[in-house]
Amino acid sequence: MLNLHDALKQADIDPQLKEVIGTIAATCKSIGGKLRGGALSGVYGSESSENVQGEVQKKLDVVANALLKKSLLNNRHVAGIASEEEDDIIGGGDEGRYLVTFDPLDGSSNIDINVSVGTIFSILPTTKPGSQVTMDDFLQAGNQQVAAGYVLYGPAITLVLTTGQGVDVYALDYDGDFYQTHTQVQVPAATQEFAINMSNQRFWEPSMQNYVADLLQGEEGPIGKRFNMRWVASMVAEVHRILTRGGIFMYPFDNREPNKPGKLRLMYEGNPMSFLIEQAGGASSTTRIPIMDVVPEQIHQRVPVILGSREEVERVDTYHK
Ligand code: AHM
Ligand code: MG
């Protein structure tokens, strides 16, 4: 069985990019170690601080962010980082050719209850190698990503990675190495399973309300098939389920806070997950355009996220035409 190091060795990508991916994987092992210890690791509970988006930070949000920040800024190939838990971008080495954006601990509401959470990352090329990074360097559309992935801290710790040549899955073994368990994962085009937080129903746009109402009508409705529903409230777990057996995940626009177009963030959640899903043959959309075509205006920008099995994502787009 190939470990991550040997799999990257064989990959036809820039050696510097391999080192950046290696750094992220190694750091996620440490984050996984903290989660394994649960309450014994002292990472349950909240901090008194809020992040830049006004969300109360969990202790593990802060710990995971600090670990990734330190290891990535120590990697000379990293020109800069942006994190869901940092107010601003942070410059790295002048010689670095890669920018890393990440959500250090996604699904924070699940930490204290011992349910799956994850780390999500996206790697972009620098637009001006050799000079200090600026915000403009980061504000690239998702279609510029050179790699993306996540680590799911569930019953197994799983790394899922794309470098634009399909999607590979690795499991963390007891000896501390990630080993490749699946290559070229494919999302089935059709599905009978959807994921959405139904408690927000009244805040959605009418077209989204209509689509979900039709899903609920099952074989008696216009879609003509029965659907099952799942909601883990950890995007990493939902995307992993979809990569494994298909499905559609939706965190659409809602008018609870009209100045925020959705809950999820483009640079740390929307783009990397869309890159993975599309590399596995699935689709992603804001309901209007492909997520990876959105040109970001702000680093912490939010975006409506619809992704998963192609047939269903296309159906959502049709409801919004
Ligand atoms: P977080 O980055 O603060 O953890 O928020 C993102 C998470 C996603 O993992 C998940 O899909 C969503 O928020 C769940 O939101 P809700 O609690 O509204 O159902
Ligand atoms: Mg998140």
Side-chain angles (χ1 to χ4, degrees), residues 51-233:
N51 66 14
V52 64
Q53 357 218 354
E55 298 159 340
V56 173
Q57 289 180 302
K58 297 280 183 183
K59 282 189 182 153
L60 194 59
D61 286 328
V62 175
V63 169
N65 184 58
L67 287 170
L68 277 163
K69 180 173 160 182
K70 184 166 176 223
S71 63
L72 284 169
L73 293 177
N74 272 328
N75 183 318
R76 65 198 163 94
H77 305 308
V78 175
I81 60 168
S83 162
E84 189 176 302
E85 303 300 338
E86 293 285 335
D87 295 4
D88 293 311
I89 59 166
I90 304 173
D94 284 358
E95 299 302 313
R97 295 222 299 265
Y98 295 102
L99 305 171
V100 184
T101 74
F102 56 88
D103 180 353
L105 213 289
D106 183 69
S108 305
S109 72
N110 283 324
I111 298 170
D112 296 354
I113 57 169
N114 195 14
V115 169
S116 297
V117 290
T119 296
I120 312 172
F121 61 92
S122 159
I123 307 180
L124 291 158
T126 45
T127 45
K128 294 185 268 28
S131 55
Q132 265 296 316
V133 285
T134 63
M135 185 60 87
D136 277 351
D137 299 324
F138 278 90
L139 299 181
Q140 303 179 49
N143 52 34
Q144 299 300 308
Q145 291 172 102
V146 291
Y150 61 76
V151 172
L152 169 62
Y153 312 104
I157 296 187
T158 309
L159 165 70
V160 179
L161 176 69
T162 185
T163 56
Q165 299 161 13
V167 176
D168 299 327
V169 180
Y170 300 82
L172 187 63
D173 192 30
Y174 277 110
D175 75 2
D177 248 349
F178 281 104
Y179 287 92
Q180 199 172 67
T181 55
H182 301 80
T183 55
Q184 300 297 323
V185 173
Q186 285 291 309
V187 177
T191 183
Q192 289 179 244
E193 197 160 63
F194 71 96
I196 195 164
N197 184 339
M198 286 294 294
S199 69
N200 297 324
Q201 184 175 27
R202 69 188 189 283
F203 302 114
W204 303 331
E205 292 184 291
S207 350
M208 184 54 68
Q209 304 231 16
N210 292 339
Y211 171 67
V212 175
D214 288 352
L215 289 178
L216 295 177
Q217 282 190 61
E219 55 272 65
E220 284 139 41
I223 302 178
K225 53 182 181 177
R226 186 175 292 200
F227 281 81
N228 187 20
M229 199 200 87
R230 287 285 183 273
W231 188 251
V232 187

Side-chain angles (χ1 to χ4, degrees), residues 166-167 184-191 239 242-243 246-248 273-285 290-292 306-314 317:
V167 176
Q184 300 297 323
V185 173
Q186 285 291 309
V187 177
T191 183
V239 170
I242 292 172
L243 282 170
I248 181 167
M273 293 310 206
S274 297
F275 194 20
L276 287 165
I277 288 286
E278 294 205 12
Q279 281 291 315
S284 68
S285 169
I291 292 173
M292 289 192 287
I306 315 296
L307 52 77
S309 293
R310 180 164 291 279
E311 251 180 39
E312 231 37 64
V313 175
E314 286 171 0
D317 284 349

Side-chain angles (χ1 to χ4, degrees), residues 232-246:
V232 187
S234 269
M235 189 189 197
V236 177
E238 322 273 9
V239 170
H240 198 68
R241 183 183 62 249
I242 292 172
L243 282 170
T244 308
R245 68 178 188 208

